[in-house]
Amino acid sequence: MYQKILNEIFDEINGLDCQGKQADYIPELAKVSPGKFAVYLTELNGKGYGVGDIDDKFSLQSITKVFAFTLAYRLLDDNIFHHVGVEPSGDPFNSLIQLEQEHGMPRNPLINAGALAVCDVLIDELDNPEKDLFDFIRKIAQNDTVTYNQKVYQSEKTTGHRNRALIHLMKSFGRIKNDTEKVLDLYFKLSSVEMTVKELSRTFLLYANHGKLPGTGEQILSKSQTKRLNAIMQTCGFYDEAGEFTFRVGLPGKSGVGGGIAALHPGEYAVAVWSPLLNPKGNSVKGLKALELLTTKTGWSIF
Ligand code: GLN
């Protein structure tokens, strides 16, 4: 059934005259071919279905904020919420205004300020932060080859002025313990992780499987932590478009400015889509449409 639905989605989306543009504030991302499009859905039993450019790797960008938070939540449990909140921001992902008004406390872990605070916590908690974080991502992806793209990393490091502004603002409120460039370096490497849609949908299966890695059954997050993280994705995963995504798609998920979106149906499947053309809120235009069609055609969402 899923393959038939994905084929229909592919045909419908290909016929659309799609507006949108690549994220050009990270120059390396603006070079990605705008016509790329892929969808991959993996069921909990491991069966997968895909259409389009499913073997191309793309920059996960903010989608990896979910992985960094997963590790921090695992290490600190509820104490992580002394560092980041759980409220939707209703603001763009890199906005400074709210952070100033709220004394440097990020609203949630899925906006840039929140992920920077999580990276600061990881540097404190881990013996070898970069190695341990990447080992963790490889573990949940069940794939030893996952890494970051050097060019994208360098591109972000050179042009990441807003992220520098965010972390210095937090530091001025005493909210960042470590050296700001050290935290930014981990954040930029995290943002530059690449995967295919196939790999990404498999990595998100753990959130559809009550926190357990499919296959090995290893519990990465408790059932309750997973429920809460899915709630954070639902309310905060698309920044100031989280309401629209919930309204149109009805699944917890996370987007990135590389044009990817990962989403999941608890107990059923995880799905990843990729198309680099973004709307003004920084979310993939075709990606949103594809997921809207998926939950419309299957007739299932979490609501
Ligand atoms: N690396 C990007 C940034 O820091 C991530 C933003 C995103 O994907 N929304 O600006």
Side-chain angles (χ1 to χ4, degrees):
M1 170 194 81
Y2 285 122
Q3 190 60 53
K4 183 172 170 286
I5 288 179
L6 294 192
N7 293 344
E8 286 173 18
I9 291 174
F10 188 77
D11 290 343
E12 284 183 43
I13 298 236
N14 262 347
L16 288 178
D17 174 26
C18 170
Q19 304 291 314
K21 67 183 190 72
Q22 289 108 313
D24 52 8
Y25 77 100
I26 301 173
E28 205 54 37
L29 294 183
K31 297 181 184 166
V32 180
S33 168
K36 292 285 179 186
F37 177 56
V39 188
Y40 202 92
L41 183 150
T42 311
E43 291 184 277
L44 280 194
N45 61 16
K47 274 197 199 150
Y49 312 87
V51 283
D53 302 302
I54 57 173
D55 294 315
D56 285 23
K57 287 191 188 292
F58 64 98
S59 193
L60 297 194
Q61 293 295 316
S62 282
I63 298 171
T64 58
K65 290 178 168 84
V66 176
F67 308 149
F69 179 74
T70 302
L71 179 55
Y73 200 9
R74 190 172 145 98
L75 293 168
L76 268 72
D77 201 1
D78 280 356
N79 286 325
I80 190 63
F81 299 115
H82 296 308
H83 301 268
V84 286
V86 296
E87 288 299 334
S89 68
D91 271 339
F93 58 85
N94 53 9
S95 171
L96 287 141
I97 297 171
Q98 203 167 51
L99 199 60
E100 162 78 355
Q101 285 165 342
E102 298 182 358
H103 313 287
M105 173 74 166
R107 276 271 173 123
N108 67 68
L110 303 184
I111 49 175
N112 289 16
L116 286 162
V118 166
C119 285
D120 184 49
V121 165
L122 291 178
I123 289 174
D124 263 0
E125 292 290 320
L126 300 171
D127 294 336
N128 300 296
E130 183 185 330
K131 180 180 179 303
D132 295 349
L133 174 59
F134 276 84
D135 282 350
F136 177 72
I137 295 173
R138 290 181 193 115
K139 179 194 177 90
I140 60 173
Q142 300 188 70
N143 179 345
D144 289 341
T145 67
V146 174
T147 187
Y148 63 92
N149 181 300
Q150 274 291 341
K151 283 189 182 164
V152 175
Y153 158 66
Q154 288 298 343
S155 189
E156 282 212 62
K157 204 173 164 79
T158 320
T159 59
H161 308 299
R162 256 185 184 269
N163 287 321
R164 286 199 169 79
L166 287 168
I167 198 164
H168 282 280
L169 185 56
M170 288 192 281
K171 185 102 177 162
S172 77
F173 285 108
R175 293 208 144 266
I176 297 287
K177 271 203 204 161
N178 295 285
D179 174 67
T180 51
E181 279 304 314
K182 200 169 161 186
V183 181
L184 284 163
D185 192 70
L186 187 64
Y187 172 87
F188 292 140
K189 284 176 178 154
L190 175 71
S191 293
S192 313
V193 168
E194 350 179 78
M195 284 189 196
T196 65
V197 279
K198 201 167 175 174
E199 292 166 337
L200 181 58
S201 73
R202 288 192 178 147
T203 311
F204 259 67
L205 272 185
L206 97 93
Y207 307 110
N209 195 31
H210 308 298
K212 272 192 200 162
L213 281 188
T216 70
E218 186 181 346
Q219 197 84 46
I220 299 293
L221 290 178
S222 72
K223 205 171 168 185
S224 157
Q225 285 175 323
T226 310
K227 179 190 71 183
R228 289 170 156 200
L229 174 49
N230 287 342
I232 295 173
M233 283 198 246
Q234 188 75 58
T235 52
C236 312
F238 298 81
Y239 326 111
D240 42 344
E241 207 167 39
E244 179 85 10
F245 187 80
T246 297
F247 181 77
R248 282 172 51 185
V249 179
L251 299 175
K254 181 74 200 85
S255 64
V257 292
I261 301 176
L264 60 116
H265 194 303
E268 299 288 338
Y269 64 74
V271 60
V273 291
W274 171 51
S275 160
L277 297 177
L278 308 179
N279 67 19
K281 311 257 178 180
N283 297 317
S284 170
V285 178
K286 287 185 181 174
L288 279 169
K289 187 71 198 165
L291 292 175
E292 181 179 0
L293 287 171
L294 176 67
T295 51
T296 304
K297 285 174 186 289
T298 56
W300 303 331
S301 80
I302 66 159
F303 296 101

